[in-house]
Amino acid sequence: MLGAMQDFDLRVTHLIDHAARETGSREIVTRWADGSETRTTWAGIRHDALRMTQALRKVGVQPGDRVATLAMNHSRHLVSWYGAVGVGGVLHTINPRLFDDQLEYIANHAEDVVLLYDAAFAPIIERMKPKWTTIKRYICFDNGEFEAWIGDEDGNTTWATGDERDPCMLCYTSGTTGNPKGVLYEHRSTFLHAITGLQPAIFDFDARSVMLPVVPMFHAASWGLPWAGAAAGIKFVFSAVNDAAVLCDLMNREKVTHSAGVPTVWLATFKHMDETGTTLPTLRQAIIGGSAAPRFMIERLMKAGVNVAHAWGMTETSPIGTTGAKTWDWDDRSFEDQVTIKQMQGRVPFGVELRTVDLGDPAKVLPRDGQTSGALQVRGPWVIKRYFKAEADATDAEQWFDTGDVAILHPDGTLQLTDRTKDVIKSGGEWISSVELENAAMSHPAVAEAAAIGIYHPRWDERPILVVVKKAGAEVTGDEIKAHLAKSVAKWWLPDAVEFVAEIPHGGTGKISKKDLRDQFRDYKLADA
Ligand code: AMP
């Protein structure tokens, strides 16, 4: 047919070109670990990324090579994202909170050739260097080393070109068992994900937005913010330390309108606000994800006039799966109802499809009736087909990714997570949601953290116990907690025991590690077992 549209590969370097061209003087602010602050712009980030591309070529980096980072959030880290993809490389953001054997595994499995790191992580580098077999060049972001390295270059070069299906980024996800798995993002998937992120229900960005991302750049691609932020030409405010006092101070001085972080971050922020009387008058969009946001958190933010985007996603979904997109009857709902809706995991943007299947029979697709819970599956242009280095197999054709989450789908499209498939507790053939027990326990004023696990029971197969960390100075008994739970869950869901501990184990991304908790309670005997 005569007539055609232009060739325009959906490569992520277009994002930084756009930001530098359209909003070149928009600021990128960094508050460094030593308390100093620097300011650059989107044009400055692009220029430095071009210089880094030249420096990478000089050390022999080829398109497809993996360029790794081990760093907190700051402007040089942002430069390295665009520098790594600019040379046609694959950016590999390593999580410094992982254990040594995981760090050893992922850098070797990824075959990283260059590693850029924060001086704060130098002890990790010293420890791991003898074990990392493929890294040829280490560059520190601090002490003038990074600047000196790109300082010899003039930025007079062009980005690598290629196919939009080329890989551009690699993130590892540490599952509950086995080695971490690599998720390889493509230019095209990342580009489409970036555009999707601009929607009001997701990041709600325009050129006036000022975003302080607390979610680290090594966690699920920082939810795609460094890409989407460029597409909108927003102002970024980075902090290389995650301290609530520092974050609140920055938010107020830089007039931050948007922030994003896991629930723990917001908890720490609230605590600081309560202790000091600090308020955040400029904040209007709070993106919360990674684990379930408790009701009081959503309520408090909404009462302060902040829009809450409670998001569900995974490293395997780039990571946007759903956010707190309003239902069509939102305006007719009471405030209480609105909070209840936000407490669920929201609705998909165009592009993402969800379905649930029977936990025992995956061939059976379940109704979206707001009642039936099942194994959650997802598909879409930024959802994983297979893990890095995994061979193609028959499941590729299905194009449905098993999330490992258990969920209920509502008729209005709302997703309600009820558990992880590995964490649901099966008692007498019926499922008990550990998440619902935890949410109910967390609403008790004396509870700082709670986790429910299943313990072997000769009659019921499994019965739940609840492991609780009390708030500092608070006193509460197991029976009082059970009485509190009884207000919101069925009687047969009530835990057989409540165990108080000083600490609940967490994994590398800050989430509760049920596997470690189960290990801790492996020899636990129930009173009637
Ligand atoms: P990760 O790949 O480390 O980001 O972990 C993804 C997993 O985190 C998901 O499969 C969920 O189990 C959990 N998760 C993410 N967002 C939420 C949320 N809003 N509520 C509850 N769980 C969540």
Side-chain angles (χ1 to χ4, degrees):
M1 205 173 289
L2 293 178
M5 305 306 278
Q6 295 184 353
D7 301 318
F8 187 95
D9 286 331
L10 307 186
R11 288 181 68 94
V12 294
T13 40
H14 289 300
L15 298 169
I16 186 76
D17 287 345
H18 172 84
R21 188 174 56 240
E22 306 301 332
T23 47
S25 58
R26 195 82 171 112
E27 276 185 323
I28 312 289
V29 181
T30 302
R31 197 269 188 199
W32 300 90
D34 65 4
S36 63
E37 285 178 16
T38 55
R39 285 166 191 276
T40 177
T41 59
W42 278 114
I45 297 286
R46 180 175 183 272
H47 180 64
D48 286 351
L50 282 164
R51 295 198 297 161
M52 178 174 152
T53 294
Q54 291 171 305
L56 284 172
R57 286 191 186 119
K58 269 196 190 153
V59 294
V61 172
Q62 302 287 325
D65 281 350
R66 268 73 76 195
V67 176
T69 62
L70 190 74
M72 299 303 287
N73 294 2
H74 51 72
S75 56
R76 289 179 207 133
H77 199 175
L78 183 65
V79 168
S80 74
W81 278 43
Y82 286 101
V85 298
V87 76
V90 177
L91 168 74
H92 173 203
T93 45
I94 303 180
N95 180 350
R97 295 178 192 148
L98 295 179
F99 305 114
D100 280 11
D101 53 347
Q102 295 173 317
L103 288 170
E104 176 181 349
Y105 174 83
I106 63 173
N108 288 337
H109 186 261
E111 300 171 67
D112 295 328
V113 295
V114 173
L115 176 71
L116 298 114
Y117 65 96
D118 285 354
F121 301 131
I124 300 182
I125 305 291
E126 285 320 304
R127 251 187 359 252
M128 301 309 299
K129 239 182 193 173
K131 296 182 176 155
W132 282 334
T133 54
T134 56
I135 302 174
K136 293 184 287 199
R137 185 81 156 85
Y138 291 87
I139 297 132
C140 181
F141 276 124
D142 302 299
N143 310 322
E145 197 177 322
F146 180 74
E147 260 93 3
W149 179 55
I150 62 171
D152 291 340
E153 314 300 333
D154 59 8
N156 193 10
T157 186
T158 51
W159 307 121
T161 53
D163 195 274
E164 62 182 23
R165 297 296 301 250
D166 287 344
C168 68
M169 188 167 189
L170 180 60
C171 286
Y172 280 76
T173 167
S174 44
T176 42
T177 50
N179 282 320
K181 294 190 199 116
V183 182
L184 194 63
Y185 305 133
E186 296 170 358
H187 280 266
R188 175 179 180 272
S189 66
T190 308
F191 190 108
L192 294 172
H193 183 266
I195 295 175
T196 296
L198 305 187
Q199 295 183 13
I202 304 182
F203 301 140
D204 189 24
F205 282 155
D206 64 33
R208 298 167 304 165
S209 311
V210 182
M211 158 61 88
L212 192 159
V214 187
V215 53
M217 289 168 85
F218 53 76
H219 186 194
S222 203
W223 302 349
L225 288 163
W227 309 121
I234 64 165
K235 169 174 162 179
F236 265 125
V237 180
F238 292 118
S239 175
V241 290
N242 269 353
D243 174 81
V246 170
L247 298 176
C248 287
D249 170 58
L250 265 177
M251 286 199 202
N252 283 330
R253 276 194 294 113
E254 298 296 336
K255 299 193 170 38
V256 167
T257 54
H258 291 54
S259 191
V262 292
T264 342
V265 163
W266 294 100
L267 278 185
T269 308
F270 289 171
K271 185 162 173 277
H272 173 77
M273 291 167 77
D274 293 341
E275 282 166 6
T276 59
T278 307
T279 55
L280 300 173
T282 57
L283 189 69
R284 59 179 184 81
Q285 177 92 348
I287 299 127
I288 313 179
S291 41
R295 184 177 182 95
F296 77 88
M297 184 174 287
I298 294 169
E299 205 168 49
R300 177 164 174 170
L301 287 162
M302 281 172 65
K303 278 191 177 147
V306 177
N307 182 41
V308 177
H310 180 201
W312 166 86
M314 325 174 63
T315 308
E316 288 90 337
T317 62
S318 292
I320 295 169
T322 61
T323 63
K326 291 173 180 155
T327 50
W328 55 82
D329 59 355
W330 179 261
D331 296 322
D332 305 327
R333 301 281 198 143
S334 67
F335 181 77
E336 285 297 299
D337 265 11
Q338 291 178 345
V339 175
T340 303
I341 295 173
K342 286 276 179 186
Q343 208 190 338
M344 293 191 257
Q345 278 71 13
R347 303 164 68 231
V348 294
F350 170 68
V352 179
E353 292 176 39
L354 299 176
R355 70 175 188 185
T356 50
V357 297
D358 193 280
L359 279 168
D361 173 12
K364 191 173 157 205
V365 177
L366 298 174
R368 294 166 160 251
D369 58 6
Q371 287 168 14
T372 318
S373 73
L376 179 68
Q377 299 186 330
V378 57
R379 69 179 179 190
W382 51 86
V383 175
I384 190 167
K385 184 189 249 176
R386 76 183 89 92
Y387 289 102
F388 182 48
K389 293 191 176 173
E391 299 287 342
D393 67 23
T395 60
D396 282 0
E398 287 174 25
Q399 296 264 34
W400 280 105
F401 174 73
D402 255 312
T403 63
D405 286 320
V406 182
I408 295 171
L409 288 173
H410 289 255
D412 65 5
T414 300
L415 166 71
Q416 181 185 0
L417 282 204
T418 55
D419 225 323
R420 298 279 304 161
T421 39
K422 292 188 188 72
D423 296 340
V424 279
I425 299 161
K426 202 161 192 190
S427 176
E430 299 288 345
W431 302 106
I432 296 177
S433 157
S434 64
V435 170
E436 267 185 59
L437 282 178
E438 288 155 12
N439 281 346
M442 288 288 287
S443 67
H444 189 288
V447 174
E449 195 164 34
I453 49 171
I455 297 283
Y456 170 73
H457 188 285
R459 173 156 180 220
W460 302 110
D461 230 358
E462 273 189 332
R463 287 295 304 156
I465 66 162
L466 187 74
V467 184
V468 170
V469 180
K470 284 185 228 173
K471 279 197 187 144
E475 271 316 320
V476 63
T477 65
D479 283 343
E480 282 165 356
I481 292 191
K482 277 199 219 173
H484 178 74
L485 295 178
K487 291 183 222 157
S488 49
V489 304
K491 193 153 170 277
W492 63 275
W493 278 36
L494 290 180
D496 281 25
V498 178
E499 292 296 331
F500 294 99
V501 294
E503 215 181 330
I504 288 176
H506 290 85
T509 50
K511 295 180 201 187
I512 291 177
S513 169
K514 289 274 176 87
K515 179 180 166 281
D516 290 333
L517 194 65
R518 275 192 289 264
D519 280 352
Q520 230 166 287
F521 282 82
R522 201 177 345 164
D523 300 323
Y524 188 88
K525 283 253 171 327
L526 293 167
D528 67 341

